[in-house]
Amino acid sequence: MELTPIFKVVRIRQEIKETLDPFTTYQIASPNDAQELAASHIANEDRDVFLVMMLNTKNQAVGLHRAHTGSLNASIVHPREVLKCAILNNAASIIVSHQHRRKDMYI
């Protein structure tokens, strides 16, 4: 029995955006550290945002990725989008964060 490919990967593209506040030396030592880093990037958005924080073996952030920007009250994220950015950034671990637009909720 011969297997035939279902699809062929033609191209994978990663877009890099530099920020004014470098996070590459930011080390995550507690849940509060992760919350502060996520809040600094997505807290004031007008729609739901699903953020992936990629960490190295020393728990330092090596990348941040907005896996999905949702509608007013929903953000549907597929696992492949989360894992793709982690693999492309050679992450040892990841932390995910979801921002709610309501002011009375925490990240």
Side-chain angles (χ1 to χ4, degrees):
M1 181 172 126
E2 185 178 330
L3 297 177
T4 59
I6 297 172
F7 61 89
K8 178 181 177 183
V9 176
V10 177
R11 177 178 56 160
I12 296 176
R13 181 177 144 217
Q14 180 177 4
E15 186 174 317
I16 298 172
K17 176 183 172 189
E18 293 189 26
T19 63
L20 298 176
D21 301 323
F23 55 85
T24 54
T25 58
Y26 196 90
Q27 185 168 6
I28 307 293
S30 70
N32 286 337
D33 292 341
Q35 188 269 339
E36 288 175 12
L37 181 59
S40 69
H41 288 273
I42 64 173
N44 296 320
E45 294 294 323
D46 62 345
R47 292 178 285 168
D48 284 3
V49 175
F50 191 90
L51 182 74
V52 181
M53 294 176 265
M54 292 150 288
L55 310 175
N56 63 14
T57 56
K58 296 179 182 178
N59 285 340
Q60 295 172 330
V62 294
L64 297 175
H65 175 65
R66 291 173 185 243
H68 191 266
T69 301
S71 63
L72 182 62
N73 62 355
S75 183
I76 301 170
V77 181
H78 198 281
R80 74 173 163 248
E81 297 301 321
V82 174
L83 297 176
K84 176 181 169 183
C85 68
I87 291 168
L88 289 175
N89 283 284
N90 295 320
S93 59
I94 62 170
I95 298 174
V96 297
S97 177
H98 180 245
Q99 168 263 11
H100 291 277
R101 184 63 192 131
R102 289 180 26 200
K103 294 288 184 187
D104 61 343
M105 297 187 75
Y106 296 99
I107 293 180

